[in-house]
Amino acid sequence: YFTSNREDGKAEVFRLVNRESEPVTDTPGEYESWGPAFSALGTLYFTSNQEEGNAEIYRLVNREAEPVTDTPEGYESWGPAFSALGTLYFTSNQQGGKAEVFKLVNRDAQHVTDTPGDFESWGPVISGMNVYFTSNRTGVNAVYQLFPSKSVLNEGWTIYYLDERFPAYPLQ
């Protein structure tokens, strides 16, 4: 599954079937869908701006897009990623207008990162039981590991630099 604009110039989610691309989403009007991710149960989730132009996370149910997030008006949620235990992590700017990582618990968006000042955190990626995200909280874009036992008030992370000026190793 991948995102492409190969049919009409707007982004849609596609899949490969017998070496041919086939559209999976058919987003109405000028709106788009992108960034596919699968839950542990095999349900397809993606980001789309099909309601009022704001990005929200959707899932595909019987080939129909069903909204998953309900972000306050004027803000957006994007980039779904699933933990091995099925928790949906994503990025949203719904608190203060800056990007932070959230998780969905019983359809309620819960803050996972609390980045200081004007800095932001985004792009959760799951590897095994580990949740990683990117942040510019030190003035350079770096990858951090979230410790699941920590809450937003007691955020725990390890920094990995992704800048050519720094080697990719944990900061002690």
Side-chain angles (χ1 to χ4, degrees):
Y1 287 73
F2 59 97
T3 303
S4 179
N5 62 354
R6 58 181 68 205
E7 293 221 336
D8 57 8
K10 70 178 195 171
E12 294 287 356
V13 176
F14 286 77
R15 69 180 181 169
L16 285 176
V17 178
N18 298 321
R19 302 184 73 159
E20 296 290 326
S21 64
E22 172 182 285
V24 175
T25 58
D26 183 18
T27 314
E30 73 276 8
Y31 302 115
E32 301 180 299
S33 296
W34 65 93
F38 283 93
S39 71
L41 298 175
T43 302
L44 176 65
Y45 286 72
F46 56 94
T47 305
S48 183
N49 62 354
Q50 61 187 278
E51 287 191 28
E52 301 176 18
N54 293 330
E56 293 283 0
I57 299 183
Y58 289 78
R59 67 181 173 190
L60 205 59
V61 177
N62 297 321
R63 301 199 52 91
E64 294 292 325
E66 177 181 285
V68 174
T69 54
D70 184 20
T71 310
E73 186 176 333
Y75 298 103
E76 300 182 303
S77 296
W78 64 93
F82 282 90
S83 73
L85 299 175
T87 302
L88 171 61
Y89 289 86
F90 59 97
T91 305
S92 183
N93 64 355
Q94 63 185 276
Q95 292 187 339
K98 67 179 192 172
E100 294 286 355
V101 177
F102 287 77
K103 67 180 178 179
L104 205 61
V105 177
N106 297 322
R107 298 196 57 90
D108 181 43
Q110 295 183 355
H111 225 175
V112 174
T113 58
D114 187 18
T115 314
D118 292 333
F119 298 111
E120 298 181 303
S121 297
W122 65 91
V125 174
I126 315 299
S127 179
M129 295 299 286
N130 299 311
V131 179
Y132 300 93
F133 63 94
T134 304
S135 182
N136 60 359
R137 65 185 64 204
T138 61
V140 223
N141 288 350
V143 173
Y144 294 79
Q145 178 180 358
L146 186 70
F147 295 108
S149 62
K150 304 290 183 181
S151 71
V152 69
L153 300 177
N154 190 16
E155 183 179 316
W157 39 264
T158 301
I159 182 172
Y160 295 90
Y161 283 110
L162 287 184
D163 189 287
E164 64 275 355
R165 296 173 290 170
F166 302 97
Y169 63 90
L171 182 67
Q172 301 300 327

